[in-house]
Amino acid sequence: MTQTHEPVRIVGMSGSLRKDSFNTATLRAAIELAPQGMTLDTVEIGNLPLYNDDIRQAGYPPTVESFRAKLTKADAILFVTPEYNYSIPGVLKNAIDWASRPPNQAFDGKPVGIMGASPGVIGTARAQYHLRQMLVFLNAFPINKPEVMIGQAATRFDAAGRLVDEATRGFIRQHLQALADWTRQLKRA
């Protein structure tokens, strides 16, 4: 008997604005490696204005409305974040601030995956742990394992920005499968 799974819709975002970002390349790799039954669409965060509650109270700007709607419609969210000064980049924090405001806080009850790539050895570990702290307050449910912390990223991608390291590709596959399974489990709960 073949077991069929309901489709899982993921929205992924890169916390880097850099054109040749290893994190954006990781997000592209995740799209390529998504398991059967998962769709992984991306959302742009570089076009969001700086969060200002006066603006929010006057009405969400169209770019913010669109961003929030994509997160709300998704079954789960995938963050791919660099590490800046031992934490997440300001552009990612800004996106989280916009999405987390009322009404309909976009992260509430959402399954979340977290990945990151860095030229350094520990591959965004501190940034990912800071992001996890924020997700507690936002009532999001990140998967715990497998963690994807891509250290020494320059050795894992080719000159065109394609992830060529097979072990890292395997970790991403496992992470995405775990996110799909977790999402389906939470939907049944």
Side-chain angles (χ1 to χ4, degrees), residues 10-179:
I10 310 294
V11 168
M13 67 187 84
S14 171
S16 177
L17 302 180
R18 194 170 66 83
K19 180 179 72 114
D20 295 324
S21 162
F22 291 123
N23 289 280
T24 302
T26 299
L27 182 55
R28 284 193 308 268
I31 293 167
E32 175 190 340
L33 298 169
Q36 186 175 7
M38 174 186 279
T39 60
L40 203 166
D41 296 318
T42 62
V43 64
E44 177 59 45
I45 64 173
N47 61 354
L48 300 174
L50 291 176
Y51 179 77
N52 179 329
D53 204 52
D54 292 337
I55 294 171
R56 180 191 69 85
Q57 290 183 24
Y60 285 107
T63 55
V64 174
E65 281 285 358
S66 174
F67 172 69
R68 288 170 53 88
K70 288 176 184 175
L71 295 182
T72 300
K73 289 177 187 170
D75 297 317
I77 297 168
L78 176 64
F79 291 103
V80 185
T81 183
E83 183 172 301
Y84 295 173
N85 300 316
Y86 284 21
S87 192
I88 66 169
V91 68
L92 183 55
K93 176 67 166 74
N94 185 57
I96 290 168
D97 288 344
W98 275 117
S100 66
R101 296 300 179 249
N104 306 319
Q105 192 267 89
F107 302 108
D108 190 24
K110 290 270 188 205
V112 172
I114 304 171
M115 301 180 190
S118 169
V121 176
I122 64 170
T124 74
R126 293 171 292 229
Q128 289 191 34
Y129 293 142
H130 276 194
L131 181 53
R132 286 178 179 276
Q133 288 176 318
M134 286 180 243
L135 295 173
V136 169
F137 178 76
L138 298 172
N139 196 41
F141 301 115
I143 59 171
N144 292 320
K145 290 187 179 182
E147 294 177 309
V148 179
M149 299 175 185
I150 305 169
Q152 299 177 329
T155 66
R156 303 190 194 288
F157 293 84
D158 67 15
R162 185 173 188 285
L163 180 62
V164 293
D165 183 78
E166 283 306 318
T168 304
R169 290 173 69 82
F171 285 130
I172 291 174
R173 276 189 202 96
Q174 292 170 17
H175 188 86
L176 293 172
Q177 186 61 60
L179 180 57

